[in-house]
Amino acid sequence: MRELALSMFLFFFVFNCVSSVPTKEQFQSCLATNKISKLPRNLTNHTPDSQIFTDFSESSSPNSSFLNLNFTSLKPILTLKPKSESEIKRSILCSKKLGVQVRTMSGGHDYEGLSYLSLSPFIIVDLVNLRSIKINLTDETAWVQSGATLGELYYKIAKTSKVHAFSAGICPSVGVGGHISGGGFGTIMRKHGLASDNVVDARVMDVNGITRDRRMMGEDLFWALRGGGAASFGVVLSWKVKLARVPEKVTCFISQHAMGPSMNKIVHRWQSIGSEVDEDLFMRVIIDNGLEGNQRIVKSTFQTLFLGGIDRLIPLLNQKFPELGLRSQDCKEMSWIESIMFFNWRSGQPLEILLNRDLRFEDQYFKAKSDFVQTPVPEHVFEEVTKRFLEKETPLMILEPLGGKINQVSETASPYPHRRGNLYNVQYMVKWKVNEVEEMNKHVRWMRSLHDYMTPYVSKSPRGAYLNYRDLDLGTTKGNNTTFEDARKWGEAYFKGNFKRLGLVKGKIDPTNFFRNEQSIPPLF
């Protein structure tokens, strides 16, 4: 009934909106009037990036495995691929004039598809052509345009220096813009903080097409962009980030075991270790399943990066976590950039694979949720998780340790609030291949059931969630009529007490709520 009611609501909402949708020709006329670059004669779904004018596309949505089948979206009027900031400005101004929403894409990692789906008439501004990266080793910073991917940034850093990195995620095809604006977990975050903690400047275009850097935008807006979901405030064109110093050699290992009584104890023990050990150590736990012969088994995998050599790692872990039984032959020393390949199961492949933007496109759909854990989960919970995982082909839980540098930052210093007092984050995910609503509903119900089961064991008042693992189950906006109170449930799950300040910033920078989506910050005055 829940899915049916939502589908009926979305049907009538979209049906009533369609008649007022501006045409593609109207939008093109507005762009031409504003002296945008010459339009191509023939509009196609896939316009080559090499063209000298702005790319236009009529595709209904990107070819992405992140498609949210439970979202009855209008088709975009146009997909624009601007090659300059002036073209983005004209797109915003024409959208305002014609009453059209803007969805901005900067790569992947959009779990609910809010960068390319909408209930209101909209265009997509795809930043794929704005991806320059400029490294400055003198002050150990980089200016990165929002259309670049993490893989492109990492590759550029690695080609420039053997002892520098950026503290961000391991998925190379994820767009820099979205990743940073939501926080940005990564393998060196316990040593160097989140991606958003390492932003020192930014350039953002507001609702009036005015571009501001940190000095011009003021500290309130600069605060909001670093973890508060930048799409609520404007279009971030580029970020200036602080690079991290790393050793020339780091150490990685993978330790995989079948879940069972003894392994449940080790995973349970990890909860008290992961966030408390030396901040040079990042050791996450992945729980999934697979086939051994004809039998399905649930496995746990310890996937680890240590900012140092084997000679330091072995004594550290044997003292703090002897249950794991780590040996030197289990470990491998490598460069930091090779560790990104290692975590992506691509060791030994050329670094150029990091530049492949299509790595994220799998022939699967998925639903994800998240939690933050503040006290160790009882051992019997992992037994129940194992039972539930045997019901599905592709369930997944990723437990990522917090602590270290993350705890040293106040929870009000940026919108991301899940700092001291949290042991680790949990990402839940279930995948499926069949593109049908009935199949989706079956898997989503299973995911909701698992999430409900975990309620007694995770953070409370509010139950925390991570913005970069967006979850529309937490609630959605009601178009431009959404009040701050309407959005409080999901807003405080992501931002806790910082949600009010985000609303106040929104009220100043975008009082008409032009930049909005189905889970954006409403203005507060």
Side-chain angles (χ1 to χ4, degrees):
M1 287 298 293
R2 181 177 181 177
E3 292 80 7
L4 177 61
L6 179 59
S7 297
M8 292 295 290
F9 166 76
L10 295 176
F11 171 79
F12 286 113
F13 190 100
V14 171
F15 179 81
N16 289 327
C17 287
V18 167
S19 61
S20 61
V21 176
T23 65
K24 171 188 65 181
E25 289 75 17
Q26 287 175 308
F27 205 95
Q28 290 173 343
S29 176
C30 179
L31 293 174
T33 300
N34 281 279
K35 298 181 180 180
I36 200 165
S37 325
K38 182 181 177 182
L39 299 177
R41 292 183 179 179
N42 298 313
L43 294 173
T44 61
N45 286 343
H46 301 287
T47 310
D49 287 344
S50 60
Q51 291 181 332
I52 62 172
F53 38 70
T54 303
D55 291 338
F56 292 90
S57 169
E58 298 178 86
S59 58
S60 59
S61 66
N63 178 25
S64 173
S65 61
F66 303 153
L67 183 61
N68 183 347
L69 298 179
N70 207 20
F71 198 124
T72 307
S73 173
L74 294 172
K75 292 183 178 181
I77 298 168
L78 283 173
T79 296
L80 309 177
K81 297 179 180 179
K83 288 183 169 65
S84 69
E85 295 180 6
S86 63
E87 293 177 354
I88 297 176
K89 176 177 180 177
R90 290 163 182 148
S91 299
I92 291 174
L93 295 180
C94 284
S95 296
K96 283 180 61 181
K97 180 179 179 179
L98 296 174
V100 170
Q101 290 290 291
V102 173
R103 294 289 183 268
T104 307
M105 293 182 61
S106 63
H109 211 285
D110 182 2
Y111 276 23
E112 295 281 22
L114 298 187
S115 63
Y116 56 82
L117 300 174
S118 176
L119 294 174
S120 303
F122 74 111
I123 64 165
I124 294 174
V125 176
D126 187 345
L127 301 178
V128 64
N129 293 322
L130 299 178
R131 56 181 195 255
S132 75
I133 300 166
K134 296 180 180 178
I135 307 290
N136 185 337
L137 291 184
T138 302
D139 63 1
E140 299 182 301
T141 62
W143 270 107
V144 190
Q145 286 189 307
S146 288
T149 65
L150 292 179
E152 289 165 350
L153 174 58
Y154 294 163
Y155 182 84
K156 184 75 175 238
I157 294 172
K159 290 296 183 180
T160 308
S161 170
K162 295 181 179 180
V163 294
H164 286 89
F166 179 57
S167 184
I170 62 168
C171 299
S173 58
V174 167
V176 165
H179 183 72
I180 293 177
S181 75
F185 289 167
T187 55
I188 60 175
M189 64 181 177
R190 301 190 64 251
K191 177 76 169 184
H192 296 286
L194 306 177
S196 57
D197 294 337
N198 289 280
V199 174
V200 295
D201 204 344
R203 298 181 69 254
V204 61
M205 186 175 292
D206 67 16
V207 65
N208 298 311
I210 299 172
T211 298
R212 310 169 191 267
D213 61 9
R214 180 176 182 174
R215 180 183 60 83
M216 294 176 62
M217 76 176 76
E219 288 303 298
D220 281 346
L221 179 55
F222 183 65
W223 172 88
L225 298 179
R226 294 176 297 116
S232 292
F233 305 97
V235 178
V236 177
L237 305 170
S238 56
W239 307 83
K240 186 179 183 181
V241 298
K242 186 70 175 175
L243 301 181
R245 282 194 170 240
V246 292
E248 284 198 37
K249 291 295 181 181
V250 302
T251 303
C252 293
F253 73 83
I254 291 176
S255 179
Q256 189 174 78
H257 312 267
M259 290 295 280
S262 61
M263 201 59 217
N264 291 341
K265 291 182 183 297
I266 294 178
V267 175
H268 179 264
R269 168 75 173 136
W270 167 88
Q271 298 179 97
S272 301
I273 297 295
S275 65
E276 298 296 330
V277 293
D278 191 309
E279 61 187 16
D280 285 336
L281 180 66
F282 174 86
M283 180 166 54
R284 70 177 186 175
V285 180
I286 301 173
I287 303 175
D288 61 3
N289 67 13
L291 290 174
E292 286 195 1
N294 295 323
Q295 184 177 3
R296 187 171 301 281
I297 64 168
V298 178
K299 309 183 301 301
S300 63
T301 302
F302 289 86
Q303 202 176 35
T304 303
L305 168 72
F306 179 67
L307 295 173
I310 295 175
D311 58 335
R312 280 185 57 211
L313 175 61
I314 298 297
L316 174 64
L317 269 186
N318 284 342
Q319 177 189 3
K320 298 291 187 179
F321 200 13
E323 295 90 340
L324 196 60
L326 184 67
R327 306 166 301 170
S328 58
Q329 57 263 40
D330 300 323
C331 306
K332 183 177 180 181
E333 292 185 346
M334 61 189 73
S335 66
W336 167 77
I337 193 65
E338 288 172 334
S339 77
I340 298 297
M341 309 286 284
F342 177 87
F343 272 76
N344 282 281
W345 313 95
R346 298 181 184 277
S347 295
Q349 298 191 35
L351 293 184
E352 282 68 25
I353 198 169
L354 296 172
L355 306 178
N356 185 347
R357 288 173 163 250
D358 295 328
L359 290 177
R360 68 183 181 275
F361 295 138
E362 301 174 4
D363 186 22
Q364 290 186 325
Y365 302 93
F366 68 78
K367 174 63 181 176
K369 288 182 171 291
S370 62
D371 266 318
F372 289 88
V373 176
Q374 298 176 334
T375 57
V377 169
E379 192 175 320
H380 70 82
V381 170
F382 296 107
E383 297 176 11
E384 177 64 22
V385 167
T386 299
K387 293 177 184 177
R388 289 172 180 254
F389 270 38
L390 289 173
E391 301 170 359
K392 291 291 175 185
E393 290 185 9
T394 51
L396 180 69
M397 280 177 66
I398 303 178
L399 319 180
E400 296 198 304
L402 302 174
K405 184 65 175 290
I406 297 171
N407 285 359
Q408 297 167 23
V409 178
S410 164
E411 70 174 41
T412 61
S414 76
Y416 175 89
H418 310 288
R419 298 188 184 268
R420 184 172 298 278
N422 292 282
L423 301 178
Y424 59 95
N425 168 264
V426 184
Q427 178 180 189
Y428 313 88
M429 186 177 289
V430 63
K431 300 180 182 180
W432 65 94
K433 292 185 177 181
V434 179
N435 185 359
E436 295 177 356
V437 171
E438 182 178 350
E439 186 74 6
M440 177 202 69
N441 287 338
K442 179 177 67 175
H443 287 86
V444 170
R445 282 193 294 268
W446 181 89
M447 174 57 70
R448 289 172 178 161
S449 175
L450 175 62
H451 193 250
D452 288 345
Y453 169 75
M454 294 295 293
T455 303
Y457 311 112
V458 297
S459 60
K460 300 173 178 64
S461 302
R463 182 175 185 172
Y466 178 40
L467 184 66
N468 273 353
Y469 303 152
R470 186 85 71 166
D471 182 6
L472 292 185
D473 284 351
L474 299 176
T476 59
T477 62
K478 303 172 183 176
N480 207 21
N481 297 319
T482 297
T483 67
F484 183 80
E485 289 301 317
D486 291 334
R488 187 183 290 274
K489 180 179 179 182
W490 58 260
E492 292 186 348
Y494 294 134
F495 307 115
K496 298 175 65 173
N498 294 330
F499 184 52
K500 182 176 181 179
R501 183 177 174 186
L502 286 168
L504 291 170
V505 175
K506 173 73 170 182
K508 292 178 181 178
I509 190 68
D510 184 19
T512 63
N513 202 18
F514 173 75
F515 287 108
R516 64 181 186 271
N517 58 42
E518 282 58 46
Q519 211 177 62
S520 56
I521 307 294
L524 183 63
F525 304 100

